């Protein structure tokens, strides 16, 4: 199933209990709102699919894993309500991943920014190549990684969240991300990554589904309040995106 190039694409293939869930967009696999909504709904659907034991989340191509939310939509925001709605996109997806009954494995082949880092952090386990550097650049344009911060902090700790957020212009390499807990393993090539992802997901899919479900509940203990928290954070970003500082910063990127 595909959409227009502007809206990106989303494909699901289920084999041997593994749901291969792949998203894509011409702009470095970034997410317009409509694609985030489709991803949210697909995760909810797979959560209830008895033919699925494990979900493998990946993106198209061999370069960027995810460039975060759509820049074109960001610069078009004109009201607080529109801003909150825009930033709620990743909140909805992260909550869907959090509540999903299935273990979600992330395959990260390249760089990821902003909301993309939040997606990886919301995976239950992630593997990457050594090209999979990460960055949270939100403060540099006058907003902040508020919606994804709980997911990043849960996976990497508050110190790593602070380092990523405050050093908003710096890329952190894949080995730094592994050291901080975002990635479980890092490989030198996509070929090596895919080989291990295949072995790992096949093993995982062979385990008792009830045991995997119970393990998922343990991993996400004490996060039920995210149902409200992430949308409160979206409202903060929705207000800040209308500030003069942010409008001026975004204007420089548009030139």
């Amino acid at each position: 199933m595909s959409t227009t190039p502007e809206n990106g694409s989303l494909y699901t293939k289920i084999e041997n209990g593994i749901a291969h869930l792949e998203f894509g967009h011409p702009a470095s696999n970034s997410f317009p709102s409509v694609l985030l909504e489709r991803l949210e709904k697909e995760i909810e659907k797979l959560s209830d699919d008895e033919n699925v034991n494990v979900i493998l989340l990946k993106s198209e191509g061999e370069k960027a894993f995810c460039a975060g939310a759509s820049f074109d939509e960001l610069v078009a925001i004109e009201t607080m309500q529109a801003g909150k709605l825009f930033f709620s996109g990743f909140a909805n997806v992260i909550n869907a991943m959090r509540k999903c009954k299935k273990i979600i494995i992330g395959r990260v082949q390249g760089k990821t920014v902003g909301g993309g880092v939040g997606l990886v952090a919301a995976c239950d386990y992630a593997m990457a190549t050594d090209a999979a550097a990460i960055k949270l650049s939100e403060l540099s344009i006058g907003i902040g990684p508020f919606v994804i911060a709980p997911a990043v902090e849960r996976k990497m700790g508050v110190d790593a969240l602070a380092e990523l957020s405050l050093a908003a212009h710096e890329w952190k390499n894949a080995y730094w991300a592994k050291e901080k807990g975002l990635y479980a393993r890092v490989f030198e090539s996509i070929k090596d990554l895919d080989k291990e992802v295949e072995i790992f997901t096949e093993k995982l899919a062979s385990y008792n589904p009830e045991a995997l479900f119970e393990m998922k509940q343990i991993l996400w203990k004490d996060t039920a309040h995210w149902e409200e928290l992430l949308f409160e954070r979206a409202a903060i970003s929705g207000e800040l995106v209308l500030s003069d500082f942010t409008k001026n910063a975004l204007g420089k990127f548009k030139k």
Side-chain angles (χ1 to χ4, degrees), residues 117-210:
V117 179
L119 278 189
V120 179
C123 290
D124 300 297
Y125 192 99
M127 290 183 275
T129 70
D130 57 10
I134 61 174
K135 181 168 71 169
L136 295 182
S137 56
E138 287 88 342
L139 280 177
S140 68
I141 58 171
I143 54 176
F146 305 125
V147 171
I148 65 168
V152 175
E153 181 181 350
R154 167 186 167 273
K155 184 61 69 75
M156 304 178 73
V158 69
D159 290 342
L161 172 62
E163 189 167 351
L164 278 170
S165 301
L166 301 181
H169 290 86
E170 292 184 12
W171 286 98
K172 297 295 185 181
N173 68 41
Y175 294 102
W176 183 90
K178 178 181 181 295
E179 178 186 338
K180 301 300 182 182
L182 184 67
Y183 304 139
R185 299 183 65 183
V186 173
F187 300 89
E188 293 183 356
S189 70
I190 292 177
K191 181 180 179 181
D192 290 342
L193 169 65
D194 284 340
K195 180 179 178 181
E196 187 58 33
V197 164
E198 181 179 3
I199 293 170
F200 186 81
T201 53
E202 286 181 354
K203 285 182 179 178
L204 204 59
S206 72
Y207 297 161
N208 183 345
E210 294 179 11

Side-chain angles (χ1 to χ4, degrees), residues 42-230:
E42 189 66 13
I43 291 170
E44 291 173 347
K45 177 182 174 182
L46 294 173
S47 177
D48 291 326
D49 192 328
E50 294 182 357
N51 296 312
V52 174
N53 292 336
V54 177
I55 298 172
L56 176 62
L57 181 65
K58 54 187 177 180
S59 65
E60 291 181 348
E62 297 186 352
K63 295 184 178 180
F65 172 75
C66 179
S70 167
F71 181 80
D72 289 340
E73 286 192 28
L74 178 65
V75 298
I77 294 171
E78 295 182 349
T79 67
M80 285 181 58
Q81 183 58 33
K84 180 179 180 181
L85 190 63
F86 173 82
F87 290 105
S88 294
F90 275 101
N92 286 323
V93 171
I94 290 172
N95 272 322
M97 294 174 74
R98 176 180 66 83
K99 295 184 291 184
C100 182
K101 299 171 187 174
K102 311 299 167 61
I103 296 291
I104 300 176
I105 307 301
R107 171 200 177 271
V108 188
Q109 79 278 15
K111 289 182 175 181
T112 187
V113 182
V117 179
L119 278 189
V120 179
C123 290
D124 300 297
Y125 192 99
M127 290 183 275
T129 70
D130 57 10
I134 61 174
K135 181 168 71 169
L136 295 182
S137 56
E138 287 88 342
L139 280 177
S140 68
I141 58 171
I143 54 176
F146 305 125
V147 171
I148 65 168
V152 175
E153 181 181 350
R154 167 186 167 273
K155 184 61 69 75
M156 304 178 73
V158 69
D159 290 342
L161 172 62
E163 189 167 351
L164 278 170
S165 301
L166 301 181
H169 290 86
E170 292 184 12
W171 286 98
K172 297 295 185 181
N173 68 41
Y175 294 102
W176 183 90
K178 178 181 181 295
E179 178 186 338
K180 301 300 182 182
L182 184 67
Y183 304 139
R185 299 183 65 183
V186 173
F187 300 89
E188 293 183 356
S189 70
I190 292 177
K191 181 180 179 181
D192 290 342
L193 169 65
D194 284 340
K195 180 179 178 181
E196 187 58 33
V197 164
E198 181 179 3
I199 293 170
F200 186 81
T201 53
E202 286 181 354
K203 285 182 179 178
L204 204 59
S206 72
Y207 297 161
N208 183 345
E210 294 179 11
L212 290 174
F213 171 77
E214 294 298 338
M215 192 68 230
K216 177 92 179 194
Q217 308 315 300
I218 291 172
L219 292 175
W220 287 93
K221 181 182 178 183
D222 298 329
T223 60
H225 65 290
W226 288 19
E227 201 70 45
E228 293 80 31
L229 176 64
L230 301 192

